[in-house]
Amino acid sequence: MKAENERIKDMASQLKGKQKREYIWDYYKLHIIGGIIGLIIIGSLLNMYVFNPPAEIAFDITMMVPNMDAEVKDAYVETLNALILDPDANETVEIEYVGSSVSSDANVVMAIQTKMMAKAQLQALDVVVMDDRYYSLLSDEGGLTDLEPLLSGDLKERLGDALLGDAIMVDDMPNVQALLGYKPADAEFGSIYIGIMDNSLRKDKAVRVLEFLTEK
């Protein structure tokens, strides 16, 4: 192998200009291509994790509902980032759509419940927007916090009968309707509720999110 390398070097040294470039390319093109690909991968990783790392999820809104409007979601993420997060921190609000219990597939419902349990154990859930079934499950298991001590008197007065103690019925709330992409009161899926997870570490921010989503 060493002798072969020396022979290639000697032949290359005897060639001039274009012939020399072509000769080097013929023998080292795999090495050159591999090196270029390696540099691209290293550059991408450095850009992603060192120079422009992804924003850290600092607040979670999980949508356990039949539908979500993706464009409205993106707009709300920007609005809520400005409303509740430090503008100098590399943080973001996440609005995650996981699906609804309104499904004929029991495996889908089980998968959603499993994912929710895992996020709850990690205290990665803050605000949940949910259909009738998921509200009943979370409420019965004590997974939702009592909203009465957290909300201001003005907000509780504005919400009126929509405030249910551990959740808010949001069927006629325009900001929620926009996020859902439909009006719950006119749909066949049943009512929609919003609440704060009992083990959330960001309840102060969650209250401000509830204020935004329930504006009329």
Side-chain angles (χ1 to χ4, degrees):
M1 179 64 70
K2 183 176 180 181
E4 178 65 15
N5 289 337
E6 291 295 331
R7 186 183 68 82
I8 292 172
K9 290 180 180 178
D10 290 340
M11 292 182 64
S13 65
Q14 296 173 16
L15 300 175
K16 303 294 182 180
K18 183 179 179 181
Q19 285 184 324
K20 186 173 184 178
R21 291 193 296 271
E22 290 176 348
Y23 185 82
I24 293 173
W25 173 251
D26 286 339
Y27 279 94
Y28 295 103
K29 59 185 174 183
L30 293 180
H31 300 80
I32 294 170
I33 292 172
I36 292 172
I37 293 174
L39 288 173
I40 291 173
I41 292 173
I42 292 171
S44 298
L45 292 174
L46 286 172
N47 182 65
M48 181 179 297
Y49 294 108
V50 178
F51 302 116
N52 293 295
E56 179 183 354
I57 297 172
F59 191 89
D60 177 272
I61 302 171
T62 296
M63 305 288 293
M64 305 163 66
V65 292
N67 188 65
M68 182 179 72
D69 187 302
E71 291 186 2
V72 174
K73 180 209 79 169
D74 291 341
Y76 280 12
V77 166
E78 291 188 13
T79 299
L80 293 172
N81 282 348
L83 182 66
I84 67 172
L85 299 183
D86 181 353
D88 296 324
N90 187 28
E91 298 176 337
T92 187
V93 170
E94 179 181 58
I95 302 179
E96 181 182 16
Y97 175 74
V98 297
S100 167
S101 66
V102 183
S103 171
S104 58
D105 190 342
N107 291 327
V108 172
V109 176
M110 181 62 70
I112 294 171
Q113 292 176 352
T114 301
K115 182 173 184 176
M116 294 297 295
M117 289 174 61
K119 289 181 71 173
Q121 289 176 352
L122 294 172
Q123 294 181 308
L125 285 173
D126 296 303
V127 167
V128 285
V129 182
M130 56 210 141
D131 62 22
D132 282 308
R133 179 177 178 180
Y134 283 128
Y135 169 55
S136 296
L137 286 172
L138 286 173
S139 183
D140 291 347
E141 294 174 1
L144 300 172
T145 196
D146 182 10
L147 298 177
E148 292 281 350
L150 299 178
L151 305 185
S152 67
D154 290 342
L155 181 55
K156 287 188 282 189
E157 183 178 354
R158 173 162 63 80
L159 293 172
D161 293 338
L163 178 58
L164 306 177
D166 60 358
I168 302 167
M169 183 185 290
V170 291
D171 289 358
D172 62 345
M173 309 292 181
N175 283 353
V176 176
Q177 291 174 11
L179 184 56
L180 294 172
Y182 70 92
K183 187 176 181 180
D186 296 338
E188 60 187 63
F189 305 122
S191 293
I192 299 296
Y193 306 84
I194 186 170
I196 300 173
M197 292 299 293
D198 192 51
N199 67 346
S200 169
L201 302 176
R202 296 162 285 270
K203 289 187 175 68
D204 55 336
K205 292 182 173 66
V207 169
R208 295 168 70 186
V209 171
L210 262 58
E211 291 172 348
F212 167 75
L213 289 175
T214 59
E215 286 178 355
K216 292 186 177 180

